[in-house]
């Protein structure tokens, strides 16, 4: 009966040592200190020691060198691997964990060694007639670590659920925004629904809003373009029908009616040609081809043709240019941009006035600047950017049959060469339109 009591004590102490091992392994040295301090206050708990490499107990309790040596010997021989452990902790120390008690084989009161012919796993309950069920006590103790595990699992589940909701909610808003866009709701936004987030999903919402705005602008522009085209085509067609009706009713005016029909048909042809050019430029992305343009020759040709056209208004063109410069791009597009701006200036400048065509080179910025200034009425401040929109003629309609695509084509051609175009009112009167083309000095 004495042997059974001794074996049961070994099993119980081994379980306490294993519990301390689990706490140190998963909770670290801080958790182990708390665990051992709590065990110290329990009357039935055996003393469990955690000794570092220097022989110091983690709770600064006295432990004899003989006991530590015996424990290390057991670790090295694997004699009691269920009750003696060597564990590397998070604080950088390697702790020797063991439960010291008489009958375990080592400790302050060494008793006879246990019967090792029966492994601890085969040891069963308290000896007959023992008044205190130590195994029942240990089972109660062994159930206690389950509670922190359950609590930790529950907390992890709640945290995971909240984290999933934190990420799923903005993704759900984005999906709804995409669905709304696909159904034609172009004013859909996603960023306001992101709240005060400052992460990649919030940035994605901002990019979605920017994309939606660009799509809305493009669609509105296409709808406006269709409206303007239908209006521009309807007017010459109505005048042609009126001229045909007049020719049928008054044969003597046949010649005048035919002239009107010819003018209107030519206007429709010009309009369709300009629309085709504008449409090609809208989808063209190959303007910056490896083609070298001699700007001296190009500008001389454009200015010479413009002077011939300006003679009927007695308008003089003052032209100044810098040293020779070469530009990379497509000559027909650059020619069309400069010519459209110059012809627009001729249309709006006063009779018997002059135009200024000034070409400058900025070698520091590697920028070619072409400025064309007229002496016309200018435009209001609100129209300085609108004049580059398709079919916009402004408040000063000096030429009623103007198509209204010239500056829009010029703007697109300049942008395809990675340049920019803008307009400013001159202090002395008139409008100045500046085109800037980047060029390479090589």
């Amino acid at each position: 009966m004495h042997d059974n009591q001794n074996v049961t004590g070994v099993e119980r102490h081994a379980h306490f040592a294993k519990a301390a091992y689990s706490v140190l392994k998963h909770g670290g040295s801080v958790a182990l200190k708390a665990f051992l301090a709590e065990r110290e206050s329990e009357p039935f708990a055996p003393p469990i020691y955690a000794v570092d490499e220097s022989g110091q107990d983690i709770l600064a309790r006295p432990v004899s060198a003989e006991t530590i040596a015996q424990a290390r010997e057991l670790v090295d021989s694997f004699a009691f691997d269920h009750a003696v452990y060597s564990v590397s902790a998070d604080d950088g120390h390697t702790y020797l964990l063991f439960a010291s008690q008489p009958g375990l084989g080592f400790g302050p009161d060494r008793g006879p060694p246990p019967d090792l012919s029966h492994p601890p796993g085969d040891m069963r309950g308290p000896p007959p007639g023992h008044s205190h069920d130590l195994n029942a006590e240990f089972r109660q103790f062994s159930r206690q670590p389950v509670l922190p595990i359950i609590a930790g699992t529950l907390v992890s589940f709640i945290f995971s659920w909240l984290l999933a909701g934190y990420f799923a909610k903005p993704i759900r808003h984005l999906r709804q925004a995409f669905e709304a866009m696909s159904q034609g709701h172009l004013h859909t936004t996603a960023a306001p629904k992101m709240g005060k987030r400052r992460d990649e999903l919030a940035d994605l919402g901002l990019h979605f809003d920017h994309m939606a705005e660009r799509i809305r602008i493009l669609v509105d522009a296409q709808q406006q373009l269709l409206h303007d085209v239908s209006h521009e085509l309807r007017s010459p067609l109505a005048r042609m029908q009126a001229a045909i009706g007049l020719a049928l009713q008054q044969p003597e005016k046949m010649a005048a009616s035919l002239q009107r029909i010819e003018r209107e048909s030519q206007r429709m042809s010009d309009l369709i040609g300009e629309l085709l050019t504008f449409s090609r430029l809208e989808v063209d992305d190959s303007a910056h081809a490896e083609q070298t343009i001699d700007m001296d020759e190009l500008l001389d040709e454009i200015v010479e043709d413009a002077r011939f056209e300006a003679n009927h208004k007695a308008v003089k063109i003052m032209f100044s240019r810098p040293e020779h410069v070469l530009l990379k791009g497509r000559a027909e597009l650059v020619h069309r941009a400069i010519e459209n701006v110059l012809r627009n200036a001729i249309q709006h400048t006063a009779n018997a006035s002059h135009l200024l065509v000034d070409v400058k080179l900025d070698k520091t910025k590697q920028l070619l600047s072409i400025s064309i200034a007229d002496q016309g009425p200018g435009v209001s401040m609100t129209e300085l950017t609108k004049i580059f929109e398709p079919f916009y003629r402004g408040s000063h309609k000096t030429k009623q049959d103007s198509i209204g695509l010239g500056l829009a084509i010029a703007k697109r051609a300049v942008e395809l060469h990675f340049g920019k175009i803008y307009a400013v009112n001159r202090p002395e009167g008139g409008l100045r339109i500046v085109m800037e083309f980047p060029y390479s000095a090589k």
Side-chain angles (χ1 to χ4, degrees), residues 6-140:
N6 187 46
V7 171
T8 303
V10 171
E11 180 184 14
R12 179 170 175 268
H13 286 65
H15 281 304
F16 274 95
K18 187 174 182 180
Y21 166 79
S22 299
V23 171
L24 178 59
K25 195 69 175 177
H26 300 289
S29 59
V30 175
L32 179 63
K33 285 183 180 180
F35 175 77
L36 295 181
E38 184 179 355
R39 299 286 81 76
E40 285 285 306
S41 62
E42 296 181 1
F44 295 103
I48 303 172
Y49 296 94
V51 180
D52 61 16
E53 304 91 335
S54 62
Q56 297 296 321
D57 177 62
I58 196 170
L59 294 182
R61 295 169 295 183
V63 186
S64 67
E66 181 184 3
T67 300
I68 296 175
Q70 293 168 4
R72 293 195 188 281
E73 182 180 353
L74 292 175
V75 170
D76 295 337
S77 63
F78 301 99
F80 286 89
D81 55 354
H82 61 283
V84 184
Y85 301 91
S86 179
V87 188
S88 296
D90 58 340
D91 58 0
H93 291 291
T94 299
Y95 290 98
L96 182 66
L97 279 174
F98 61 91
S100 176
Q101 56 108 25
L104 184 61
F106 63 92
D109 184 11
R110 293 188 62 179
D115 183 6
L116 298 180
S117 62
H118 302 283
D122 293 337
M123 300 175 185
R124 294 292 182 264
H130 196 275
S131 61
H132 188 77
D133 190 351
L134 297 180
N135 280 333
E137 177 190 343
F138 174 73
R139 285 195 298 270
Q140 181 181 2

Side-chain angles (χ1 to χ4, degrees), residues 4 18 37 81 98 117 164 203 211 242-243 262 264-265 327 411:
N4 288 337
K18 187 174 182 180
D81 55 354
F98 61 91
S117 62
D203 293 339
M211 176 197 70
E262 182 181 13
E264 299 302 333
S265 62
L327 189 68
K411 180 177 183 292

Side-chain angles (χ1 to χ4, degrees), residues 295 299 319 327 334 338 341 357-360 368-372 432-437:
M295 293 303 296
L299 289 168
F319 176 41
L327 189 68
V334 178
I338 301 173
V341 174
V357 180
D358 188 19
V359 183
K360 294 181 179 179
L368 172 66
S369 176
I370 303 174
S371 170
I372 299 177
R432 181 191 304 275
I433 295 181
V434 181
M435 291 168 284
E436 294 180 348
F437 295 93

Side-chain angles (χ1 to χ4, degrees), residues 410-426:
K411 180 177 183 292
R412 182 58 180 159
V414 172
E415 290 176 346
L416 286 175
H417 287 81
F418 307 103
K420 66 177 182 178
I421 182 172
Y422 58 92
V424 294
N425 284 311
R426 302 174 65 194

Side-chain angles (χ1 to χ4, degrees), residues 340-352:
N340 284 3
V341 174
L342 189 53
R343 292 185 65 186
N344 181 80
I346 294 173
Q347 294 174 10
H348 292 88
T349 194
N351 292 335

